[in-house]
Amino acid sequence: MKKIFLLLSLSLFFACNSSEEKQLPEEVSEEELSSIPDNFGIVIHGGAGTIVKKNMTDSLEKAYKDKLEEAIRVGHEILANGGTAMEAVQRTINIMEDSPLFNAGKGAVFTNAETNELDASIMDGKTLNAGAVAGVTTVKNPINLAWEVMENSEHVMMAGKGAELFAEERGVEIVDPEYFYTENRFQSLQRLKNMDTEETELDHDQSAAFVDPFIKDSKYGTVGCVALDKDGNLAAGTSTGGMTNKKWGRIGDAPIIGAGTYANNKTCAVSATGWGEFFIRGVVAHDISALMAYKRLSLEDAADEVIQNKIPDLGGNGGIIAIDFQGNVAMEFNTAGMYRAHMNKDGDLEIGIYGEE
C-alpha cells in the first residue's frame, strides 16, 4: 500500500497543481524512492542548432530519424530487461558515436590543425560518481573511456595522451586517427579556414564555428543520453568532437561534470548540447538539478528557466535533455532544432528534429 500511495501522491501532485510555477513536494527519502514500482525511461539528443527543414533533404531526415531510433531502442531494451541506467546510457551513445551523422566518435569535426579531438563524460546518479575524458585522438568510443575513468581510477577527468595511455591499459578500443576522417567534416573545416575572419579565428562566430556540413547550416554537435532504470537509478552521458576549427586544445562543456553532464537520483539526469563556453559558465546541467533540489521546481520548469532565460541572457544558446526520478522528461532548446528522441516504459517512441514538433 505504501508503494501505491507514494506513486499516486507524486503523480497527483503535478496533475492538481495549477500554479504558474510548479514545485516539487517535500523531499522524498531514498527508501521511498526505491519503493516506487518499476518505472523507466530514456532520452537522447544528437545536437542542437539552426536545424531547419528547408535545409534538410527527405533522405537525410530519414537517415537521422532512423539512427536516433536505432540508438534509443538499444538503451530501451537494456532497461526493459532490467539493465542499469549506466549501461543503457553507454551503449546508446556508442551507436551515435559510431555513426558519421553526429559530431562524436566517427563523425567528429576537425580542429584547426586538421585533427579530431574528442571529449566525453558519464555520471551515476546513485553514487554521484563520474568520469570524463578530453582531447583524445585515438579512442574509438570516448564514452567507454569516461566510464573506465569513473569505475577503475581514483580520478574524475583525464586528458590527452595520459587518457589514451589509460585507455590502452584498460583495454579500451584504440583506432588510428584516420578512422575519424569524414570528407564532409574535412571540407567544412576548409571552408571555415578560407573565411579567415577575426570572429572565426576567435571561435566566437557561431554561424561559422558550428556549421553542419550535411545541412550547410549552424548546429552544435554533441550526442547525449539520460536514463532512469527500474531500480530508480539515474545516469547521464555526453560525447562530442567539439567545435569545428577549434585551436589551442579548446575544451567545451561536454566533459565538464555539472556543465554538460549531471545525474542525481534525488532530482534528475541531464545531458547538454550547445555553445560550450556559456554552458560551462552557467553550470547548466547542475543548475537544473539545483533548481529542483533547492527551489523545488519541477523538471520542466527548471529546464525552461535555465535554457530559455539564463543561457540566452549570458549570450549563448543550445539545449538539454533530462529525465527525473519519476520518469518525467524534458527536451528543452532555444535553437531552431535539436535531434532528439524519447521512449517511456510502455515503449512509446517520440522522435523530433525541428522546433514545434
Side-chain angles (χ1 to χ4, degrees):
M1 289 297 295
K2 181 180 179 183
K3 292 181 180 180
I4 296 173
F5 177 76
L6 174 65
L7 187 63
L8 288 174
S9 297
L10 290 168
S11 300
L12 288 173
F13 178 85
F14 292 109
C16 297
N17 189 342
S18 60
S19 65
E20 192 170 302
E21 184 180 84
K22 297 178 184 175
Q23 290 187 317
L24 292 174
E26 290 300 315
E27 184 173 357
V28 182
S29 71
E30 290 187 19
E31 180 182 354
E32 289 174 320
L33 283 174
S34 65
S35 73
I36 296 176
D38 287 353
N39 185 24
F40 67 93
I42 184 170
V43 194
I44 64 175
H45 72 73
T50 312
I51 306 167
V52 291
K53 192 170 181 63
K54 69 179 182 180
N55 291 332
M56 184 83 72
T57 66
D58 290 342
S59 61
L60 189 56
E61 179 178 307
K62 183 178 185 303
Y64 273 110
K65 288 185 174 181
D66 286 350
K67 188 57 65 173
L68 289 169
E69 181 173 354
E70 177 189 350
I72 201 167
R73 286 194 181 279
V74 166
H76 188 270
E77 183 177 3
I78 290 170
L79 297 170
N81 291 331
T84 66
M86 289 296 300
E87 182 183 3
V89 164
Q90 189 176 350
R91 299 309 168 202
T92 298
I93 288 178
N94 284 162
I95 300 296
M96 293 187 284
E97 285 179 329
D98 291 345
S99 170
L101 290 174
F102 304 103
N103 174 18
K106 175 62 178 175
V109 298
F110 285 82
T111 70
N112 180 265
E114 301 186 354
T115 60
N116 309 98
E117 296 178 357
L118 307 136
D119 309 325
S121 63
I122 194 165
M123 187 166 183
D124 184 345
K126 180 179 181 180
T127 64
L128 302 188
N129 200 4
V133 294
V136 295
T137 61
T138 62
V139 178
K140 181 174 183 284
N141 295 107
I143 196 69
N144 295 354
L145 181 55
W147 183 87
E148 290 286 349
V149 172
M150 179 182 72
E151 289 291 319
N152 295 299
S153 84
E154 59 186 8
H155 307 303
V156 172
M157 179 180 286
M158 297 183 187
K161 297 301 180 184
E164 291 170 358
L165 177 60
F166 180 72
E168 292 177 7
E169 292 179 357
R170 294 301 310 166
V172 176
E173 186 171 359
I174 301 297
V175 294
D176 188 284
E178 284 295 314
Y179 166 81
F180 301 106
Y181 182 93
T182 56
E183 184 64 21
N184 280 330
R185 302 293 193 201
F186 186 73
Q187 291 306 320
S188 178
L189 171 67
Q190 302 312 311
R191 287 194 294 272
L192 290 187
K193 289 174 117 178
N194 289 337
M195 292 173 74
D196 194 30
T197 67
E198 182 180 357
E199 285 187 320
T200 301
E201 289 298 315
L202 291 174
D203 287 343
H204 290 167
D205 182 2
Q206 60 179 310
S207 67
F210 296 97
V211 167
D212 185 316
F214 292 109
I215 61 176
K216 299 181 176 60
D217 216 321
S218 173
K219 181 180 80 70
Y220 297 106
T222 297
V223 305
C225 177
V226 295
L228 168 70
D229 64 32
K230 289 184 176 182
D231 292 325
N233 293 320
L234 293 165
T238 311
S239 182
T240 187
M243 179 189 292
T244 302
N245 200 32
K246 63 185 178 182
K247 297 180 179 179
W248 310 299
R250 179 264 186 188
I251 296 169
D253 65 302
I256 308 297
I257 301 301
T261 303
Y262 191 74
N264 186 326
N265 277 9
K266 294 182 179 180
T267 53
C268 63
V270 182
S271 173
T273 171
W275 195 339
E277 281 69 16
F278 293 95
F279 278 60
I280 293 171
R281 295 170 194 168
V283 200
V284 163
H286 181 267
D287 203 28
I288 292 170
S289 172
L291 286 170
M292 295 179 68
Y294 304 140
K295 290 192 69 175
R296 316 307 301 160
L297 294 190
S298 68
L299 174 62
E300 178 185 359
D301 287 337
D304 179 81
E305 172 62 26
V306 173
I307 297 303
Q308 303 301 339
N309 296 316
K310 179 176 180 177
I311 291 302
D313 286 348
L314 289 175
N317 56 12
I320 61 94
I321 54 168
I323 188 167
D324 72 10
F325 61 87
Q326 294 177 264
N328 299 310
V329 304
M331 297 182 284
E332 194 76 30
F333 54 98
N334 56 32
T335 53
M338 180 172 75
Y339 300 113
R340 60 199 186 275
H342 165 234
M343 288 186 77
N344 60 20
K345 67 177 182 178
D346 298 321
D348 300 324
L349 173 65
E350 176 184 353
I351 297 177
I353 296 179
Y354 317 108
E356 305 301 326
E357 284 186 305

